[in-house]
């Protein structure tokens, strides 16, 4: 005898897989030590989101990155920070302190 849906007009559940959700939530919580993840969390908090809302947003972002890695078959490559106001970067990728201007080449 085949199993059937008890109510065929009920929309599918949007709860998702609770164990995967929990794994991403805990991953986001542990990732708060990473400067890039912390910056995203602080940005969400500045937007007025509560702690759990900001963590869920970070978990979703990490999930999106993981999906893109699987889709593209790529390894994680940490993004380099972008300089603000055309500020030059040193060899480590961090902005150079002070008002140093680089010569413009044509």
């Amino acid at each position: 005898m085949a199993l059937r849906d008890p109510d065929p007009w009920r929309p599918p559940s949007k709860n998702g897989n609770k164990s995967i959700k929990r794994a991403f939530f805990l991953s986001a919580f542990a990732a708060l030590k990473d400067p890039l993840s912390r910056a995203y969390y602080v940005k969400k908090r500045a937007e007025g989101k509560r702690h759990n809302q900001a963590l869920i947003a970070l978990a979703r972002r990490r999930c999106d990155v993981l999906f893109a890695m699987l889709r593209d078959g790529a390894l994680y490559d940490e993004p380099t920070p972008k300089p603000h106001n055309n500020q030059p970067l040193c060899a480590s990728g961090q902005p150079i302190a002070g008002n140093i201007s680089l010569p413009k080449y044509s």
Side-chain angles (χ1 to χ4, degrees):
M1 185 165 135
L3 295 176
R4 65 183 192 101
D5 190 12
D7 187 0
W9 292 280
R10 181 181 302 172
S13 172
K14 294 186 179 182
N15 293 336
N17 187 323
K18 291 185 180 170
S19 60
I20 291 177
K21 274 190 196 178
R22 180 168 169 77
F24 275 111
F25 184 84
L26 292 175
S27 165
F29 193 76
L32 288 177
K33 295 177 183 174
D34 177 52
L36 291 174
S37 296
R38 172 62 80 170
Y40 185 77
Y41 170 82
V42 168
K43 179 180 126 183
K44 290 297 175 184
R45 291 292 302 214
E47 291 175 5
K49 300 209 181 285
R50 295 189 186 122
H51 169 72
N52 275 354
Q53 290 173 317
L55 269 181
I56 290 169
L58 178 59
R60 171 62 191 258
R61 182 176 183 169
R62 294 174 64 80
C63 181
D64 291 345
V65 168
L66 179 63
F67 175 77
M69 288 169 47
L70 292 172
R71 178 195 64 208
D72 300 339
L75 297 175
Y76 179 72
D77 185 24
E78 188 172 331
T80 57
K82 296 178 183 175
H84 298 287
N85 301 330
N86 294 330
Q87 188 176 11
L89 297 177
C90 65
S92 67
Q94 299 298 322
I96 297 174
N99 293 333
I100 301 172
S101 60
L102 294 176
K104 294 185 180 181
Y105 301 104
S106 44

